[in-house]
Amino acid sequence: MTLTTPRVRTGRITFFVALAVFAQESTWNLYDSQVPPLLREHVGSAALIGALMGMDNLLGIFIQPWMGNRSDGTRTAWGRRIPYLVVGMPVAALLFVLIPHAAVSLPLLVLVMFGYALVANSFKPIAESLLPDFIAPERRSRANAAVKIASSITVIVAALISLFLIDDFPKLSFAIPAVLMLVSVGVLAWRVRDSKSPAYQAALEEDRSEPDAQPRVRMRDVLIDIGRDADRSRLLVIAAVFAFGGAWFASRSLVTNYGIETLGMSRGDAGGLTLPSGLAFLVAAYPVALLAERFGRLRLILIGMAVFAAAMVLGTIVRTPTGTVVAMCVAAAGAAAFMVNMAVVLWNLAPSARVLGTYTGLYTVGWSGGGFLGPALVGGMVDVTGWPFMLLDVGVVTAIAVLLVARVAVLQRRRTDGRVL
């Protein structure tokens, strides 16, 4: 896909997209950390609490690609993304503020949780799709790195709110991320018109060249096109996202139990094993984007996944708390190469500017699907191999993703269309 419209100030639009993602993820991270205690007041079963907390991921698998596809076909003077954000983000902010107030009864709390998850999932891929709308393919890695850094910082923001405010101001604390979201959407509505984006202009040009075609490419047609493509690169990319997403989420969600069962740590100490790795991810995110633009995204992704798998082997060999922390830090740095660049690869494989939002949603399907099933798969492997080999089990799942991306790299070397991945 070649966009020939006037050059866009990439730093400016990257800031606005990062601001929108930062505001969204601030609510999601506080939601993940503070809604379980609200449920615990009404529900004694940890399994049921986990199922209710997993509701948002399950909704996202279905809603995000559909809403991304809906926005792809929207044509307004404001563009195709901003109208959805201007409506969706304030509604999500209101529902988020209502969550602690709804905790007076379980049915009301679950209803508000469902409403928030439904609305917030609806515009999540739309905000992220602004990046490929404005940024040229060769510059998307560094822009996506900035967005990922903004997203990662929200973990710290949520932790600070929990640490300093939640005990004394349990209801007011939920208003802080909501206000951030309102400020973010206000800035976007004021400063961004995605009707001027290169991808939107390219989509309009495609509309004019095919006067009998509908602006919106049906989701079914997108899936059929991917499934029937003899090249298989797009299908393999989504499968790789699913596999590595499973490995990543398994390494995060099972490491506390690993620390307890294998390293003899307390629950609190084991829960802190991944904290330094968050900083490692922040440090690595932008450099791996620059290296990917210089040496090739698929090459950097393969190196990053190899580093991640090697770190899992290191953690298995050096079976101490310090060794595990070091392994998780090295793994996070390697994972940054995948997380920053893989969405860009899928965007750049999109056959048309008219389906960028749909492809953002499909990336989410792979990532969320991996997050949903990966921990269960690795947990089943642990039942067979034992907790001491949990990290090695994660490495085995990572190896599947490596093979899938390696195949994509082989297919891309055969291409002759000059497409930038």
Side-chain angles (χ1 to χ4, degrees), residues 78-82 130 134 192-197 200:
W78 233 349
R80 55 182 177 176
R81 317 288 186 204
I82 297 299
L130 284 170
F134 279 94
V192 179
R193 293 292 183 274
D194 70 288
S195 58
K196 299 178 181 179
S197 72
Y200 186 77

Side-chain angles (χ1 to χ4, degrees), residues 140-345:
R140 287 173 180 169
S141 281
R142 65 181 68 186
N144 199 38
V147 171
K148 293 297 183 185
I149 289 171
S151 177
S152 299
I153 291 174
T154 61
V155 177
I156 300 174
V157 172
L160 291 175
I161 293 174
S162 297
L163 183 63
F164 293 109
L165 294 175
I166 201 73
D167 289 334
D168 296 325
F169 308 99
K171 295 179 180 178
L172 181 62
S173 298
F174 278 75
I176 296 173
V179 169
L180 289 174
M181 188 178 289
L182 291 175
V183 171
S184 172
V185 72
V187 172
L188 286 172
W190 176 40
R191 302 295 296 173
V192 179
R193 293 292 183 274
D194 70 288
S195 58
K196 299 178 181 179
S197 72
Y200 186 77
Q201 293 299 316
L204 291 180
E205 186 60 35
E206 289 185 52
D207 294 345
R208 287 190 286 267
S209 67
E210 303 176 31
D212 296 330
Q214 294 294 323
R216 176 178 168 234
V217 180
R218 294 183 305 171
M219 188 74 194
R220 177 172 175 270
D221 294 333
V222 173
L223 296 176
I224 289 174
D225 177 55
I226 292 174
R228 290 180 176 175
D229 185 6
D231 181 78
R232 300 294 186 193
S233 290
R234 291 172 290 174
L235 190 61
L236 290 170
V237 166
I238 296 171
V241 171
F242 177 86
F244 189 75
W248 170 257
F249 281 105
S251 73
R252 312 298 283 187
S253 63
L254 299 178
V255 72
T256 299
N257 284 348
Y258 173 81
I260 295 170
E261 299 290 340
T262 303
L263 305 179
M265 302 175 71
S266 69
R267 180 180 175 184
D269 290 340
L273 284 171
T274 60
L275 181 59
S277 65
L279 299 176
F281 181 92
L282 291 175
V283 171
Y286 200 74
V288 298
L290 298 179
L291 290 171
E293 290 179 358
R294 181 172 181 180
F295 298 107
R297 293 185 180 90
L298 291 174
R299 181 178 298 174
L300 255 293
I301 289 169
L302 284 169
I303 292 173
M305 288 193 297
V307 169
F308 183 91
M312 296 298 100
V313 175
L314 172 66
T316 303
I317 295 173
V318 186
R319 209 170 290 163
T320 64
T322 300
T324 302
V325 168
V326 171
M328 296 303 286
C329 288
V330 174
F338 185 98
M339 296 184 193
V340 167
N341 293 298
M342 202 55 163
V344 179
V345 169

Side-chain angles (χ1 to χ4, degrees), residues 107-121:
L108 184 59
L109 176 59
V110 172
L111 179 63
V112 176
M113 287 171 58
F114 180 84
Y116 166 75
L118 182 68
V119 176
N121 270 303

